[in-house]
Amino acid sequence: MKTNLSMNFESSDFSDEFAGWPPEATVFPIAGVDLRVLPGTHPFVAAEEAAIRENWARETAANPALFDGRLIFQQRLTLDEKGISGEGYVTPFSAFMYWRRQPQRQGGIHIFAYPVLESSDGALVAIRMGAHTANPGQVYFAAGSLEPEDIVDGRCDIEANMRREVLEETGLDLANSVAGQGLYAAHARRTVTLMRLFRFDMTADEMVERIEAHMLVAEDKEIAGAAAIRSADPSAHPYNVAMLPVISWYFGKRGA
């Protein structure tokens, strides 16, 4: 990997921010992740406070179940031979919801971790989100934004985030899987997805059954079901857009 791969999200030239990165919607290996969390308020939040508040009123009027929690929202990211590094702030979810509705999504970058769950019979297993969530009906891997509880010594713990999200949403423990050796990433529209493969010694049907049993006892009723993914067909499920490069890469590398 070349050493000059970088993007600075403070730049005003949107087209140049990804210069040198692999193309959008492609999966590529990375050496590691180092995401610092800074004290204070994200500059985007400070600049757009009124618009964020107005948008949140509209969001909650349409979906009263939304909760204004906290996530880690990046100000800048860099990609080089050491991997992806960045600096972000603890930010209200309402600010993220406003940001993601902007056509060019200027002012920040969303980065989240995708634990890619593999079954013993060669499928991937994902969840379908409930109607009351921010992504109703969409199918994607059990995952969530980086949150304050994922911060360790001032940095985001990606692996801890993956373990927590999978356990909370599916009841599956990543400690019972075999983790892939490498980290991967993809990006599109100022959102970066971090990935690691986790293989379980269960068939896809067995994993789906376990997840649906967990749904009955889970405190958080965010998910509405589970899905076994057996091909790269983008129409097989109502996928979240971030899923499309992952399934294309995963089944493509197997020659499927």
Side-chain angles (χ1 to χ4, degrees), residues 55 59 96-105 189:
N55 181 73
E59 298 278 2
F96 166 71
M97 291 291 283
Y98 172 70
W99 169 84
R100 79 173 191 169
R101 289 192 178 278
Q102 306 314 301
Q104 296 300 321
R105 292 185 170 180
R189 296 196 65 215

Side-chain angles (χ1 to χ4, degrees), residues 48-102:
E48 301 291 341
E49 183 178 0
I52 290 167
R53 187 168 54 251
E54 292 169 4
N55 181 73
W56 186 243
R58 291 190 293 269
E59 298 278 2
T60 52
N63 184 356
L66 292 176
F67 171 68
D68 198 10
R70 297 294 182 267
L71 57 84
I72 314 305
F73 190 49
Q74 303 299 307
Q75 182 182 15
R76 68 172 189 85
L77 289 178
T78 300
L79 172 66
D80 59 24
E81 75 281 356
K82 296 179 181 179
I84 291 175
S85 60
E87 294 178 347
Y89 297 81
V90 177
T91 300
F93 180 67
S94 55
F96 166 71
M97 291 291 283
Y98 172 70
W99 169 84
R100 79 173 191 169
R101 289 192 178 278
Q102 306 314 301

Side-chain angles (χ1 to χ4, degrees), residues 49-226:
E49 183 178 0
I52 290 167
R53 187 168 54 251
E54 292 169 4
N55 181 73
W56 186 243
R58 291 190 293 269
E59 298 278 2
T60 52
N63 184 356
L66 292 176
F67 171 68
D68 198 10
R70 297 294 182 267
L71 57 84
I72 314 305
F73 190 49
Q74 303 299 307
Q75 182 182 15
R76 68 172 189 85
L77 289 178
T78 300
L79 172 66
D80 59 24
E81 75 281 356
K82 296 179 181 179
I84 291 175
S85 60
E87 294 178 347
Y89 297 81
V90 177
T91 300
F93 180 67
S94 55
F96 166 71
M97 291 291 283
Y98 172 70
W99 169 84
R100 79 173 191 169
R101 289 192 178 278
Q102 306 314 301
Q104 296 300 321
R105 292 185 170 180
Q106 294 293 309
I109 178 70
H110 185 222
I111 188 167
F112 67 97
Y114 245 3
V116 181
L117 306 187
E118 299 181 277
S119 68
S120 61
D121 55 345
L124 299 178
V125 176
I127 58 174
R128 186 174 73 256
M129 298 304 293
H132 63 288
T133 64
N135 297 307
Q138 293 186 9
V139 169
Y140 51 90
F141 298 118
S145 296
L146 297 166
E147 298 180 2
E149 59 195 289
D150 299 317
I151 301 172
V152 178
D153 296 330
R155 285 175 161 79
C156 294
D157 187 333
I158 300 298
E159 303 292 338
N161 171 269
M162 290 183 179
R163 289 192 301 271
R164 176 176 57 79
E165 292 287 349
V166 170
L167 188 61
E168 288 177 357
E169 297 184 359
T170 72
L172 299 173
D173 190 340
L174 292 183
N176 297 326
S177 70
V178 177
Q181 292 298 310
L183 278 171
Y184 298 85
H187 72 97
R189 296 196 65 215
R190 301 174 69 88
T191 293
V192 175
T193 310
L194 305 172
M195 290 162 271
R196 188 186 295 278
L197 296 166
F198 294 91
R199 186 175 183 86
F200 284 85
D201 188 20
M202 289 185 282
T203 67
D205 288 344
E206 289 171 337
M207 292 175 69
V208 168
E209 183 178 354
R210 288 275 298 274
I211 293 169
E212 292 184 343
H214 175 73
M215 288 169 50
L216 301 176
V217 299
E219 291 184 12
D220 193 338
K221 306 296 184 182
E222 285 193 341
I223 74 170

Side-chain angles (χ1 to χ4, degrees), residues 27 116 118 184 197 246-256:
V27 175
V116 181
E118 299 181 277
Y184 298 85
L197 296 166
V246 184
I247 60 174
S248 177
W249 164 76
Y250 179 80
F251 291 103
K253 71 186 179 68
R254 287 177 19 186

Side-chain angles (χ1 to χ4, degrees), residues 236-248:
H237 300 281
Y239 289 118
N240 178 278
V241 67
M243 287 289 290
L244 300 180
V246 184
I247 60 174
S248 177

